[in-house]
Amino acid sequence: EYYGVRLGLPRFGDDDCWPEKLQVIADLRPTVVSFTFGAPSPDDIETLRALRILTMVTVTSAYEAGIALGHGAEVLVVQGPKAGGHRGTFAPEVHPGTDSLEDLLSEIGHAHPHVPLVAAGGLGTSADVAAVLRDGVVAAQVGTALLLADEAGTNPTHRAALTNPEFINTTVTCAFSGRYARGLENDFTRAFEDVAPVGYPEINQMTAPIRAAAVSVDDPHGTSLWAGTAYRSARSAPAAVIIAALAP
């Protein structure tokens, strides 16, 4: 059957405001600025360098590392496949790679021995952090470890799911946003991850009211529950206490 549904014009994000965003950075003059989902243009990075702002770019492969450095990035955040939330892949339509964080650090570090690297993805314990701190790796970046922090803005539905024994797996899906991201497997991902198209930010905007409605009724199966594979290591505490416990 066919239905006369007028979908209207597609809604996009605010990337057309890129110059304005860079101007905000120029005005604030932070010490460091970090980019993901791609590398800024060489001209943009040179502008930031002239302002003495250190530029970091998230990469998920040796190929992306080469592009970021070619554009002038000064530090690479190497994101492994165990990371929670959106993968920082440059091409959203390409399924993220599965090379381990350790292998990525080794490959990228060997190819670019003088570039500082930040390790990210699946670092839930001090042992995890210690394992990736090697020559060239100057820091570890964590996200999932802080989801239950006192200061985190994680909504109550998400917080409860992270400690609920009902949720036993994470999955990489584009069902919620149109971009590949890792989160707790729930009824929504099981129903749509095999058929959901790649299409960020349109899919993200389509599912936004669904996710908001699910959270409003405390339904963890209708919203995104972003989390890395080490989510069971997350705990409630002040952020400073969590970070101190992660120190090797």
Side-chain angles (χ1 to χ4, degrees):
E1 296 183 32
Y2 295 89
Y3 299 88
V5 178
R6 294 176 61 89
L7 296 177
L9 296 175
R11 297 173 59 193
F12 298 95
D14 59 355
D15 283 347
D16 56 338
C17 300
W18 180 254
E20 290 83 353
K21 293 178 180 179
L22 287 179
Q23 187 58 52
V24 171
I25 294 173
D27 293 341
L28 294 175
R29 299 287 183 93
T31 303
V32 178
V33 61
S34 182
F35 297 89
T36 192
F37 300 153
S41 71
D43 287 344
D44 288 339
I45 291 182
E46 182 55 38
T47 296
L48 296 174
R49 181 180 289 109
L51 295 172
R52 303 185 70 179
I53 299 174
L54 182 71
T55 302
M56 304 168 64
V57 174
T58 296
V59 299
T60 64
S61 68
Y63 173 74
E64 292 174 351
I67 293 176
L69 293 174
H71 283 211
E74 298 170 271
V75 179
L76 298 178
V77 178
V78 182
Q79 185 192 53
K82 295 181 179 180
H86 285 91
R87 298 295 305 280
T89 49
F90 286 13
E93 71 278 4
V94 176
H95 199 284
T98 57
D99 290 346
S100 71
L101 174 60
E102 291 77 9
D103 287 346
L104 287 172
L105 290 170
S106 178
E107 182 179 7
I108 294 172
H110 179 76
H112 310 285
H114 303 298
V115 176
L117 305 179
V118 176
L123 306 178
T125 66
S126 59
D128 295 331
V129 173
V132 297
L133 292 179
R134 60 182 72 174
D135 291 342
V137 180
V138 299
Q141 179 175 296
V142 298
T144 301
L146 295 170
L147 285 177
L148 295 179
D150 295 348
E151 300 89 338
T154 319
N155 68 62
T157 302
H158 195 169
R159 283 179 176 270
L162 289 167
T163 58
N164 187 337
E166 174 186 356
F167 298 97
I168 59 174
N169 295 311
T170 63
T171 185
V172 176
T173 180
C174 62
F176 284 109
S177 71
R179 232 186 192 284
Y180 288 104
R182 184 179 292 281
L184 300 182
E185 186 179 70
N186 61 9
D187 289 349
F188 196 99
T189 64
R190 284 187 284 268
F192 298 111
E193 66 181 25
D194 291 336
V195 297
V198 173
Y200 180 88
E202 292 84 358
I203 301 300
N204 187 59
Q205 291 164 342
M206 288 174 62
T207 66
I210 298 173
R211 289 179 276 127
V215 170
S216 71
V217 295
D218 196 24
D219 175 14
H221 288 284
T223 188
S224 51
L225 304 169
W226 302 139
T229 58
Y231 69 97
R232 289 300 189 200
S233 298
R235 64 192 183 96
S236 299
V241 172
I242 295 171
I243 294 298
L246 288 172

